[in-house]
PDB file of all heavy atoms in Angstrom:
ATOM      1  N   ARG C 132      16.262  10.512  -7.239  1.00  0.00           N
ATOM      2  CA  ARG C 132      16.793  11.443  -8.169  1.00  0.00           C
ATOM      3  C   ARG C 132      17.699  12.472  -7.560  1.00  0.00           C
ATOM      4  O   ARG C 132      18.762  12.787  -8.061  1.00  0.00           O
ATOM      5  CB  ARG C 132      15.689  12.203  -8.993  1.00  0.00           C
ATOM      6  CG  ARG C 132      14.744  11.417  -9.832  1.00  0.00           C
ATOM      7  CD  ARG C 132      15.414  10.845 -11.127  1.00  0.00           C
ATOM      8  NE  ARG C 132      15.996   9.528 -10.868  1.00  0.00           N
ATOM      9  CZ  ARG C 132      15.364   8.429 -10.687  1.00  0.00           C
ATOM     10  NH1 ARG C 132      14.033   8.381 -10.840  1.00  0.00           N
ATOM     11  NH2 ARG C 132      16.023   7.226 -10.513  1.00  0.00           N
ATOM     12  N   LEU C 133      17.290  12.994  -6.451  1.00  0.00           N
ATOM     13  CA  LEU C 133      18.070  13.962  -5.658  1.00  0.00           C
ATOM     14  C   LEU C 133      19.432  13.414  -5.157  1.00  0.00           C
ATOM     15  O   LEU C 133      20.506  13.996  -5.352  1.00  0.00           O
ATOM     16  CB  LEU C 133      17.307  14.481  -4.453  1.00  0.00           C
ATOM     17  CG  LEU C 133      16.136  15.345  -4.661  1.00  0.00           C
ATOM     18  CD1 LEU C 133      15.366  15.618  -3.360  1.00  0.00           C
ATOM     19  CD2 LEU C 133      16.541  16.671  -5.372  1.00  0.00           C
ATOM     20  N   ASN C 134      19.344  12.172  -4.767  1.00  0.00           N
ATOM     21  CA  ASN C 134      20.546  11.462  -4.340  1.00  0.00           C
ATOM     22  C   ASN C 134      21.560  11.333  -5.533  1.00  0.00           C
ATOM     23  O   ASN C 134      22.808  11.521  -5.391  1.00  0.00           O
ATOM     24  CB  ASN C 134      20.303  10.180  -3.687  1.00  0.00           C
ATOM     25  CG  ASN C 134      21.349   9.756  -2.666  1.00  0.00           C
ATOM     26  OD1 ASN C 134      21.635  10.449  -1.750  1.00  0.00           O
ATOM     27  ND2 ASN C 134      22.013   8.692  -2.913  1.00  0.00           N
ATOM     28  N   GLU C 135      20.997  10.992  -6.672  1.00  0.00           N
ATOM     29  CA  GLU C 135      21.913  10.777  -7.894  1.00  0.00           C
ATOM     30  C   GLU C 135      22.513  12.168  -8.229  1.00  0.00           C
ATOM     31  O   GLU C 135      23.696  12.199  -8.591  1.00  0.00           O
ATOM     32  CB  GLU C 135      21.013  10.254  -9.062  1.00  0.00           C
ATOM     33  CG  GLU C 135      20.761   8.748  -8.873  1.00  0.00           C
ATOM     34  CD  GLU C 135      19.560   8.245  -9.799  1.00  0.00           C
ATOM     35  OE1 GLU C 135      19.124   9.130 -10.610  1.00  0.00           O
ATOM     36  OE2 GLU C 135      19.250   7.076  -9.684  1.00  0.00           O
ATOM     37  N   TYR C 136      21.785  13.208  -8.193  1.00  0.00           N
ATOM     38  CA  TYR C 136      22.253  14.518  -8.509  1.00  0.00           C
ATOM     39  C   TYR C 136      23.323  14.866  -7.545  1.00  0.00           C
ATOM     40  O   TYR C 136      24.349  15.382  -7.972  1.00  0.00           O
ATOM     41  CB  TYR C 136      21.043  15.468  -8.486  1.00  0.00           C
ATOM     42  CG  TYR C 136      21.450  16.943  -8.461  1.00  0.00           C
ATOM     43  CD1 TYR C 136      21.747  17.642  -9.689  1.00  0.00           C
ATOM     44  CD2 TYR C 136      21.641  17.665  -7.304  1.00  0.00           C
ATOM     45  CE1 TYR C 136      22.131  18.926  -9.664  1.00  0.00           C
ATOM     46  CE2 TYR C 136      22.017  19.035  -7.257  1.00  0.00           C
ATOM     47  CZ  TYR C 136      22.295  19.645  -8.439  1.00  0.00           C
ATOM     48  OH  TYR C 136      22.646  20.999  -8.478  1.00  0.00           O
ATOM     49  N   LEU C 137      23.107  14.633  -6.250  1.00  0.00           N
ATOM     50  CA  LEU C 137      24.126  15.017  -5.291  1.00  0.00           C
ATOM     51  C   LEU C 137      25.437  14.171  -5.359  1.00  0.00           C
ATOM     52  O   LEU C 137      26.510  14.664  -5.245  1.00  0.00           O
ATOM     53  CB  LEU C 137      23.514  14.885  -3.858  1.00  0.00           C
ATOM     54  CG  LEU C 137      22.455  15.930  -3.504  1.00  0.00           C
ATOM     55  CD1 LEU C 137      21.759  15.498  -2.205  1.00  0.00           C
ATOM     56  CD2 LEU C 137      23.110  17.287  -3.293  1.00  0.00           C
ATOM     57  N   GLU C 138      25.273  12.856  -5.651  1.00  0.00           N
ATOM     58  CA  GLU C 138      26.368  12.017  -5.821  1.00  0.00           C
ATOM     59  C   GLU C 138      27.421  12.510  -6.800  1.00  0.00           C
ATOM     60  O   GLU C 138      28.601  12.400  -6.670  1.00  0.00           O
ATOM     61  CB  GLU C 138      25.961  10.607  -6.109  1.00  0.00           C
ATOM     62  CG  GLU C 138      25.428   9.885  -4.830  1.00  0.00           C
ATOM     63  CD  GLU C 138      25.485   8.370  -4.905  1.00  0.00           C
ATOM     64  OE1 GLU C 138      25.831   7.835  -5.984  1.00  0.00           O
ATOM     65  OE2 GLU C 138      25.119   7.703  -3.956  1.00  0.00           O
ATOM     66  N   GLU C 139      26.849  13.050  -7.931  1.00  0.00           N
ATOM     67  CA  GLU C 139      27.714  13.676  -8.955  1.00  0.00           C
ATOM     68  C   GLU C 139      28.551  14.797  -8.410  1.00  0.00           C
ATOM     69  O   GLU C 139      29.581  15.109  -8.883  1.00  0.00           O
ATOM     70  CB  GLU C 139      26.908  14.049 -10.158  1.00  0.00           C
ATOM     71  CG  GLU C 139      26.277  12.923 -10.945  1.00  0.00           C
ATOM     72  CD  GLU C 139      25.332  13.445 -11.983  1.00  0.00           C
ATOM     73  OE1 GLU C 139      25.225  14.672 -12.267  1.00  0.00           O
ATOM     74  OE2 GLU C 139      24.527  12.557 -12.472  1.00  0.00           O
ATOM     75  N   GLN C 140      27.983  15.466  -7.364  1.00  0.00           N
ATOM     76  CA  GLN C 140      28.778  16.579  -6.790  1.00  0.00           C
ATOM     77  C   GLN C 140      29.558  16.205  -5.534  1.00  0.00           C
ATOM     78  O   GLN C 140      30.101  17.000  -4.897  1.00  0.00           O
ATOM     79  CB  GLN C 140      27.795  17.730  -6.382  1.00  0.00           C
ATOM     80  CG  GLN C 140      26.535  17.820  -7.221  1.00  0.00           C
ATOM     81  CD  GLN C 140      26.601  18.994  -8.164  1.00  0.00           C
ATOM     82  OE1 GLN C 140      27.364  19.926  -7.893  1.00  0.00           O
ATOM     83  NE2 GLN C 140      25.765  18.953  -9.237  1.00  0.00           N
ATOM     84  N   GLY C 141      29.522  14.894  -5.251  1.00  0.00           N
ATOM     85  CA  GLY C 141      30.241  14.447  -4.024  1.00  0.00           C
ATOM     86  C   GLY C 141      29.478  14.516  -2.796  1.00  0.00           C
ATOM     87  O   GLY C 141      30.083  14.477  -1.687  1.00  0.00           O
ATOM     88  N   PHE C 142      28.131  14.616  -2.806  1.00  0.00           N
ATOM     89  CA  PHE C 142      27.334  14.643  -1.658  1.00  0.00           C
ATOM     90  C   PHE C 142      26.250  13.496  -1.675  1.00  0.00           C
ATOM     91  O   PHE C 142      26.097  12.838  -2.671  1.00  0.00           O
ATOM     92  CB  PHE C 142      26.636  15.904  -1.495  1.00  0.00           C
ATOM     93  CG  PHE C 142      27.597  17.089  -1.093  1.00  0.00           C
ATOM     94  CD1 PHE C 142      28.464  17.602  -2.065  1.00  0.00           C
ATOM     95  CD2 PHE C 142      27.615  17.499   0.213  1.00  0.00           C
ATOM     96  CE1 PHE C 142      29.329  18.662  -1.679  1.00  0.00           C
ATOM     97  CE2 PHE C 142      28.564  18.572   0.537  1.00  0.00           C
ATOM     98  CZ  PHE C 142      29.364  19.101  -0.341  1.00  0.00           C
TER      99      PHE C 142
END
Side-chain angles (χ1 to χ4, degrees):
R132 296 290 87 78
L133 289 175
N134 206 60
E135 285 163 2
Y136 167 84
L137 288 170
E138 282 200 358
E139 287 168 16
Q140 327 257 340
F142 287 78

